[in-house]
Amino acid sequence: MKCFIVAALLLATLASGENIFKINITPEEAQQFLNSAQLRGIGDIEYAPKTGENPLPEARNEQGQFVYMGRVIEHPEDYVEEHYDAHQYHGQDGLGQFAYGYKDWNQGKNEKRDETGKVTGSYKYVQPHGRDFVANYYADKTGFHVEDNRPAHLKLPATKTPAVLKAEEEHFKLWGELAAAAGHNPDPYAAEYQQEGRYQPAEPEYQPYVHEEPPYVPGPEETGEPKGFFYAFDYNVPLLRNKEERAELERLRAVNNKDE
């Protein structure tokens, strides 16, 4: 019952956007924070909310040029300064488990590692053509695995371009000319190399990869009981936006959202 109350309080704190900075806490307390952070959803990533915008603040250099954060702006009337409420969090329990994530105006990520060593995560960002790219992944003893939301035809194996095919043709043509001039074909896979007594490359035996995570061994400088930490905070992000480019991106996103 006590654990449930603590978890509920932590979740309410995280949901309210209150800044949290906890260090040198017990693994159990750290795990409560990690679990509460993960309730936001590893695969449910939100972008940072926009809190406002304003014309670029007036600032000029010694030459009289309009500048914004060190950048010369020739036509400041074509730009606005947007503001976003970004967020990030990170925690570890001192025993190997962790969780971290962030969200900005056009990208976000969440990732966690559990007590078995399995890492699970997802990330999302806005592509130049306005469509969200979303990837979900995990890594365990069998390796790294990822799935994303690209259309099926974009996930097909890479094919050789005309330039590559032309380069291959030129390569093998030159190879044949040099072999003919030498009166000998140095191809180790040619029939003459497959005779008895000649070297024959063995077929490689497939061995599935299985990763074994070595047990954690504290170093000589690590003394005392394991400790964890957790922090989560919001912060303002000012963003320079070109009005015309912003309008085009919003148009593309509207079209993509309509198609989905």
Side-chain angles (χ1 to χ4, degrees):
M1 182 65 179
K2 180 179 179 181
C3 292
F4 174 79
I5 295 176
V6 172
L9 291 174
L10 291 175
L11 183 58
T13 300
L14 291 172
S16 67
E18 180 181 348
N19 293 340
I20 303 172
F21 294 92
K22 297 289 186 179
I23 61 173
N24 293 326
I25 56 180
T26 65
E28 292 75 19
E29 186 177 0
Q31 288 163 10
Q32 293 288 344
F33 281 104
L34 300 184
N35 293 334
S36 298
Q38 292 165 22
L39 290 177
R40 302 177 181 193
I42 284 294
D44 184 19
I45 299 177
E46 298 178 350
Y47 295 133
K50 181 180 176 181
T51 57
E53 68 175 65
N54 52 263
L56 301 188
E58 182 74 24
R60 297 185 181 274
N61 58 21
E62 295 178 351
Q63 290 75 36
Q65 297 171 308
F66 193 102
V67 294
Y68 177 80
M69 294 188 177
R71 172 182 172 182
V72 175
I73 305 295
E74 294 186 0
H75 301 284
E77 67 278 4
D78 294 339
Y79 296 84
V80 295
E81 181 184 64
E82 296 182 338
H83 295 270
Y84 291 85
D85 192 12
H87 179 82
Q88 64 174 275
Y89 68 92
H90 181 200
Q92 299 183 20
D93 70 350
L95 300 175
Q97 297 187 65
F98 69 75
Y100 79 91
Y102 67 88
K103 62 179 180 180
D104 207 334
W105 77 280
N106 66 346
Q107 59 181 300
K109 179 180 180 181
N110 290 318
E111 183 176 293
K112 68 174 182 177
R113 185 179 192 268
D114 63 23
E115 68 277 2
T116 68
K118 181 179 181 179
V119 176
T120 307
S122 59
Y123 59 89
K124 179 171 74 171
Y125 62 86
V126 180
Q127 301 178 88
H129 52 67
R131 187 182 297 275
D132 287 338
F133 178 87
V134 183
N136 298 288
Y137 61 90
Y138 70 92
D140 58 12
K141 292 183 178 181
T142 64
F144 181 78
H145 311 267
V146 61
E147 287 289 338
D148 60 61
N149 66 332
R150 289 177 298 166
H153 71 277
L154 294 180
K155 298 181 181 181
L156 297 175
T159 57
K160 297 179 180 179
T161 65
V164 171
L165 293 173
K166 181 179 178 181
E168 282 187 348
E169 181 182 359
E170 294 175 350
H171 167 77
F172 288 116
K173 179 181 178 182
L174 179 59
W175 177 279
E177 292 173 352
L178 294 175
H184 182 66
N185 187 352
D187 183 357
Y189 292 97
E192 62 183 285
Y193 273 78
Q194 305 302 317
Q195 301 171 5
E196 184 178 355
R198 299 282 187 173
Y199 169 74
Q200 298 185 28
E203 289 291 331
E205 182 180 353
Y206 174 73
Q207 294 290 342
Y209 172 78
V210 178
H211 177 73
E212 293 293 339
E213 186 73 17
Y216 173 72
V217 179
E221 72 283 357
E222 300 179 69
T223 59
E225 295 295 323
K227 297 292 183 179
F229 71 87
F230 185 85
Y231 67 77
F233 61 91
D234 299 326
Y235 54 99
N236 175 264
V237 175
L239 181 66
L240 177 68
R241 299 293 301 276
N242 179 280
K243 296 178 182 178
E244 185 176 339
E245 294 176 357
R246 178 178 67 174
E248 175 62 13
L249 181 60
E250 290 176 350
R251 184 190 69 81
L252 292 172
R253 287 188 64 74
V255 171
N256 287 321
N257 290 334
K258 184 178 180 180
D259 294 339
E260 292 178 352

